[in-house]
Amino acid sequence: MHFYNIDHFPDLPMEFVTPALTTQFFDPKPEDNYTKIRASMAPSDFRYTKFAQDVIAEFGNIKCGYMRFEPMSFYDWHTDIQRSCTINFLVTDIPNILTMIRTPTPIRMIYDIENVEPKFRRPVLLDTTVEHCVVNYNPTQIRCILGISVDND
């Protein structure tokens, strides 16, 4: 398994849910030959919480921020280059969302698929060194997460 629901950690405080819905998001910088839809991002002050400070003390430098996925969007299969894991909190509780992880099998073009099932305001630890994607197939609502990423350093 490449994800873990961290049930013994606390819920995300509500004070970090509202900013996810009201803050200004920035679209990612365009990349050469990259035409797939990606997430918009926004900074967060979550890094100053005791929770984030405990993660920093244990693992070193982190990045905290919101990621927004528009209705009917697909953040294609990818691995994260500058980080090895992330702790995600779902901050919009909407239907019709998927986060999936895939690992190759011995049969070409066949993958084992894991469906990550996040819960509203609950932390999920995700191994970002394996391919993963995010699908928001809700026709009208955005999906938003708060992510705490551990740098590879």
Side-chain angles (χ1 to χ4, degrees), residues 32-122:
D32 293 342
N33 301 318
Y34 195 77
T35 59
K36 297 180 174 88
I37 294 173
R38 298 178 59 198
S40 300
M41 306 198 182
S44 169
D45 288 336
F46 190 76
R47 76 173 296 111
Y48 304 109
T49 64
K50 180 178 178 342
F51 181 101
Q53 292 301 306
D54 289 346
V55 173
I56 291 169
E58 185 68 30
F59 298 105
N61 194 34
I62 64 169
K63 292 183 180 117
C64 294
Y66 295 107
M67 294 181 72
R68 181 178 68 193
F69 305 90
E70 296 298 326
M72 302 305 291
S73 65
F74 177 56
Y75 191 0
D76 207 351
W77 294 103
H78 65 285
T79 57
D80 297 351
I81 297 168
Q82 297 177 343
R83 59 186 179 194
S84 56
C85 66
T86 188
I87 299 171
N88 287 341
F89 291 90
L90 185 63
V91 294
T92 51
D93 191 18
I94 64 170
N96 303 329
I97 58 172
L98 290 172
T99 299
M100 296 178 289
I101 298 170
R102 73 178 181 185
T103 51
T105 67
I107 303 169
R108 185 175 169 261
M109 302 285 297
I110 303 293
Y111 295 88
D112 286 328
I113 303 288
E114 296 174 73
N115 184 22
V116 180
E117 297 181 11
K119 298 177 186 113
F120 182 57
R121 297 178 49 215
R122 300 293 306 140

